[in-house]
Amino acid sequence: MATPINRQTEMTLVQAVTDALRTKLSEDETTLVLGEDVGKNGGVFRATDGLQEEFGEDRIVDTPLSEAGIVGTSIGLAINGFKPIVEIQFLGFIYPAYEQIMTHVSRIRMRTMGRYSVPMVIRAPYGAGIRAPEIHSDSTEALFTSMPGLKVVCPATPYDAKGLLIAAIEDPDPVLFLESMRSYRSFKEVVPSESYTVEIGKARCVSEGTDVTLIAWGAMVQVAQKAATVAQERGISCEVLDLRTLYPFDRETIAASVQKTGRAVIVHEAAAMGGLGNDLVTLINDTAFLYLRAPIARVTGFDVPVPLFALEDHYIPTPERVLATIQRTVEF
Amino acid sequence: MATPINRQTEMTLVQAVTDALRTKLSEDETTLVLGEDVGKNGGVFRATDGLQEEFGEDRIVDTPLSEAGIVGTSIGLAINGFKPIVEIQFLGFIYPAYEQIMTHVSRIRMRTMGRYSVPMVIRAPYGAGIRAPEIHSDSTEALFTSMPGLKVVCPATPYDAKGLLIAAIEDPDPVLFLESMRSYRSFKEVVPSESYTVEIGKARCVSEGTDVTLIAWGAMVQVAQKAATVAQERGISCEVLDLRTLYPFDRETIAASVQKTGRAVIVHEAAAMGGLGNDLVTLINDTAFLYLRAPIARVTGFDVPVPLFALEDHYIPTPERVLATIQRTVEF
Amino acid sequence: MEQHFPIQRIIDEEGRLIDASKEHDLTKELALTLYEQMHRIRTFDRKAINLQRQGRLGTYAPFEGQEAAQVGSALALSDQDWLFPTYRDHGATLTFGADMVRTLLYWNGRVEGCVPSEKHIFPPAVPIATQIPHAVGAAWAEKRKGTKNVAVAYFGDGATSEGDFHEGMNFASVFQAPVILFNQNNQFAISVPIEKQMHSETIAQKAIAYGMPSVRIDGNDAFAVYFTMQAAVERARSGGGPTLIEAVTWRFGAHTTADDPTKYRDQARSRDRVDPLDRLEQFLKHQGDFDETWMQQLQERHQAEVEAAVTAMEQFKAPDVNDLFDHTYATLPVDVQQQKEAYLLARGK
Amino acid sequence: MEQHFPIQRIIDEEGRLIDASKEHDLTKELALTLYEQMHRIRTFDRKAINLQRQGRLGTYAPFEGQEAAQVGSALALSDQDWLFPTYRDHGATLTFGADMVRTLLYWNGRVEGCVPSEKHIFPPAVPIATQIPHAVGAAWAEKRKGTKNVAVAYFGDGATSEGDFHEGMNFASVFQAPVILFNQNNQFAISVPIEKQMHSETIAQKAIAYGMPSVRIDGNDAFAVYFTMQAAVERARSGGGPTLIEAVTWRFGAHTTADDPTKYRDQARSRDRVDPLDRLEQFLKHQGDFDETWMQQLQERHQAEVEAAVTAMEQFKAPDVNDLFDHTYATLPVDVQQQKEAYLLARGK
Ligand SMILES: Cc1ncc(C[n+]2csc(CCOP(=O)(O)OP(=O)(O)O)c2C)c(N)n1
Ligand SMILES: Cc1ncc(C[n+]2csc(CCOP(=O)(O)OP(=O)(O)O)c2C)c(N)n1
Ligand SMILES: [Mg+2]
Ligand SMILES: [Mg+2]
């Protein structure tokens, strides 16, 4: 049944997504890909490129322009034997499906005491930084991490993208899978050609350090890393954590790291108010209060809508802003 | 132009809402009330009772069952000279309008550099505790407090309900006005019959105290108060703050209070993850770090969907749970 | 448009056959089965209202007046079909095979009331129209599997105003899903009469927007409902795609027990309407098939069944606080697990 | 349904008059005005694509092929009317009176590009179909004020699948708002052809669902567009309510400059199509109204206008970081104010 897996081993993040899809489409006949332009066009970011040719129009389905329809119909498919992998063209266009996700995708298992479940994956490119038109650049992951019944995953590397997407597809519960557009083609990495998973719920320690814990995800991991490198030169040792799963996040790893370093800087693209950073602040407050040597700091988007792209570089956290915050935290 | 204002001075919260609506409908001809069942029926909670008779079908409009349509159409009314006061029957049914609120209501001023604005009020009953059917009991205010461009208000008393609703209607920006169903008829209070406003953005100090700051809003204010009363008997002095405005919240009052008490317990009905409590934790971390004598504590709904009503009493924070948390915080 | 979508009837309001072509299909057996089920669910419905008044049930949505629509449609389904109801369609779900005790539990806020029997019955959709895409998806899944099973979405007149109705209709037609969109047009959405809900004269005509066949029927004529539904189900099973059925009906009572219909309509309008059960009773009488003893037995049997269900509901095990937590995910995340343990611990002492 | 909604034309693809009843309405003045505007916006459109290729503009959505639809409809409006466009309707907005420099700024990610001129032109709706309810609301406001002004919502074939299209159409009809729902059916939503978007044969027939008048026209016939739009606008102004217009057209190029149309369609299909400008040019020639010198002047004028706009756009003041913060609320909340100050301070050093 298995059709040949892409042999390429150096991949970009978006290629790793395609590879994960191809892997699961080959392994599991109940998987389907649905979305706007995912078929013939291979997706506006080419994440589903070639899949319709390989798996047919029946498995890779171009749908009408109708996010509530896509998600709502996929619920029906999911409770009746299929595993829909839905593409929402941009996270900023997921809002029409918000009701279906909020009142059904996330609640059906609870409401039927497990008799029905919704093993569905919703993939969505997100984030600013590629000069995309308005609304295309939203980073509103917290609207979903706050939704009991849903998991939220966000890879920062090609390796993790493949492993986490396969894990998400195999997960018995619905998973929102966020793909940073800015990271789609920013670098390549060796990715195994076989099927593998990266465990949902586990953060990745990007680099160990002793003075301050940096927590980031998606495109912000690289921003944090850059800041950490410069900080190192200035004698500040940063532990950089890539959160990878945004819900349920890795409480133990975060707690242990901040207990060790006594300081934390959280970096995210979303606005400060309501951002996931606040949940992380609470976690650290709850688990490392007596270890804290400075207030927990955040570097985030501002409390304004993501601007049109001429101003987006002012909106997105930069290594400079992160560095300044590290410095302030260490000097507190 | 002013039609006679209701002379009644002791009112429930829902009566105060009606009174505020009547006041503004009399004062300002551009105001309109739109929603499902708001006309002849006077709203499912009777919040608009009698208004259609008084102001006519043209001002008090029964709309189709269509939340995106109601909010979307109201945007057109608002940019073109009217002040729509929209009723969403229950906060749990606002999700179909989420896209319109997220991408337009909150962004039009920004997108047009102020050329157009959306002076709209969206009223929505929220919260558990009245044995309502599923989805009717959601308390998802954080989905809106995180939305730049929108204000969110939530009165706990009849007096504030009238004054804040009038302020919301007069506000040049869109306001989500949350009404606790459980508080609608739970007590009466003297409410002035004339027009007055309560300032948006200011918390109310319900009772002063020295050992711990309790922060709550809506129905949780009474829960916090009850806990505070028992705590007092046990020798713990609680300062109870009613947040009143959930965005932009009253940073100064909260900071000053926690700087004084050194301890904070936040009480809300929404789930812990993604709840507004996290934003408050961050605020306190940012403004009172060196004053803190214990980790900031939260008493919240659990990270599960609001259950069907047979289990809702387990879900909603109780004075007992708040009290236990106060005790733990003080003993830390 | 009304002339393009005339209300189709098989018997008139006095229970007289008016569609002669159907004469041989209206067997005694069918008539008695329809009547029996309608009687059964009415017995249930009235009891539920009573229980609510006595404080033994939460807010309840009655369906009196819509029995022919619900029973006629549900009886045309087969065991493996899928049913996606609203909060007002427990007449249909009970007929299809839902458990009566669980149906009562639902109205007491018990999650056990959402768990379907062996039949595929989805928990009632509370957010209006959201179930329509679900039914389309479940039907599409059956088509993909190559079965002959169909799905039915029940929904009201008000539901047609929601985006989900539109998006579901469009998907149904684009993917030719074997789904029946069964609309009970009871002419009110809570207090809002259909003239304020839509500018179209009929709901049936809305199917034209999707190139979908549709039909407008007298929803209080159990035969018209049954045969129309049967034909739509047959078409769906044989690959003919979706159908929209507009069953024109009337709710006699309140929207829910929390609602006061006299606020927005003259209840005399309800009293003037022909009761769908009376209408079928008249038909049986015209045919000479109505038997007082049988009727007596029916009453006793249904009374007993409903009473037994009420007793079972009231003796049902107490709500289990574990259920608040345990079904959120297949495996509970650490934080929810911790919240649960802390809560149970605190309650313990 | 196609026979119920035949495509209406006034001139054929060779630019010959086919609707004799309109002979006297097709004045030379009108024909020249239509041509001139179409030529103007095409000059703009081609320049914009060029700028994008040179890296002087961001991702851009071209409208070549849709000029007759956009110009014909926009020319039928009056100064006080409201226009709610998508990202592909700057042909219409430029014709209606949008500022060309700001239009270019928009495609460079400048918020100044969203700010309308004195005319009521809403910023382009990016989330598909969301502008439809806005137009309905703005039109309803005009009706409430007792004016004769109307609103127009522009939207594509793909937009008809969204719930907002449906909810907007329903509100328009229920409240009889003076709104024109102007659909450009270019037969593709990015890569998705209309057959996969909907099962209905036409978009015009969707109006039946709302009891709304509708008409299907050749969107590449500038006269058909203009007179159909004029009639709809007239009806709306005089209290006759909304109209859905389906203008069947074709986009010649890519969805946006980020899109590769050869992935999903044979671009020969575009080359085979009659260009709406050529068609009007043929008409002018048949009438003996085409003048090479005039054409020459037109080209020079439009070239100059567009070049001047490009220069102005490129010399426009640099983006102001204050604009990131200052328009979120009428008065900035304390936290946003603090964020702004901190950011500006940090940049200062
Ligand atoms: C999205 C949403 N909005 C509002 C409500 C509140 N509500 C419950 S029932 C109802 C009326 C439904 O009318 P209709 O579809 O005609 O069904 P009926 O109740 O008449 O059976 C409303 C507005 C809801 N449940 N969901
Ligand atoms: C809600 C939403 N979903 C998806 C998109 C992405 N998107 C942008 S344009 C487009 C196709 C629109 O097609 P159509 O309505 O026919 O207009 P056209 O582009 O052909 O003018 C899509 C899917 C979007 N902008 N908004
Ligand atoms: Mg109804
Ligand atoms: Mg199109």
Side-chain angles (χ1 to χ4, degrees), chain B residues 36 67 89 93, chain C residues 87-88 126 128 157-159 186 188-189 255:
Chain B
E36 297 156 11
E67 289 77 11
Q89 208 158 73
F93 303 137
Chain C
Y87 48 84
R88 200 187 301 291
V126 174
I128 299 295
D157 42 305
N186 66 10
F188 276 89
H255 169 72

Side-chain angles (χ1 to χ4, degrees), chain A residues 1 27 86 90 155 172 175 177 190 225-226 324:
Chain A
M1 202 202 70
E27 284 176 10
V86 161
F90 292 84
V175 180
F177 192 84
V190 172
Q225 272 179 284
K226 280 190 191 145

Side-chain angles (χ1 to χ4, degrees), chain A residues 36 67 89 93, chain D residues 87-88 126 128 156-159 186 188-189 255:
Chain A
E36 297 155 12
E67 289 77 10
Q89 209 159 73
F93 304 136
Chain D
Y87 49 84
R88 201 188 300 292
V126 173
I128 299 293
D157 41 304
N186 66 9
F188 276 89
H255 169 73

Side-chain angles (χ1 to χ4, degrees), chain A residues 192-216:
Chain A
S193 53
E194 68 269 17
S195 186
Y196 64 93
T197 58
V198 169
E199 190 180 342
I200 291 178
K202 294 278 174 255
R204 175 175 66 104
C205 183
V206 179
S207 59
E208 289 189 22
T210 51
D211 296 329
V212 54
T213 302
L214 307 190
I215 307 171

